[in-house]
Amino acid sequence: MHAIWTGYVSFGLVRLPVHRYSATEEHGTGFHQVHARDGSRIKHRRVCESEDVEVPQGVGSVRTAAPS
């Protein structure tokens, strides 16, 4: 495979060669927050303050309300 960019990274007296290659596959990056005590995943849910019910994504209008 041919490098699309070649250069060097220098740290004081140390000079490291660097080669950049184009990706052959598309990968997404996912990060999960984990509860330290038991290792379970932490999830975030959208909840209506006044009704205390979960609101699914894409439901209702989204607008920024002025703080009261």
Side-chain angles (χ1 to χ4, degrees):
M1 183 183 287
H2 181 70
I4 61 173
W5 180 83
T6 302
Y8 293 92
V9 175
S10 297
F11 300 99
L13 298 174
V14 178
R15 186 177 178 193
L16 303 171
V18 176
H19 303 280
R20 181 172 181 197
Y21 299 92
S22 59
T24 57
E25 297 178 19
E26 187 172 326
H27 293 281
T29 304
F31 296 99
H32 300 293
Q33 291 182 335
V34 178
H35 190 222
R37 190 174 342 149
D38 61 7
S40 62
R41 184 173 167 194
I42 298 173
K43 295 185 178 183
H44 298 274
R45 293 196 171 106
R46 293 171 21 128
V47 177
C48 175
E49 277 187 17
S50 63
E51 299 176 8
D52 197 31
V53 294
E54 187 173 345
V55 179
Q57 291 287 340
V59 174
S61 63
V62 177
R63 43 179 194 176
T64 305
S68 47

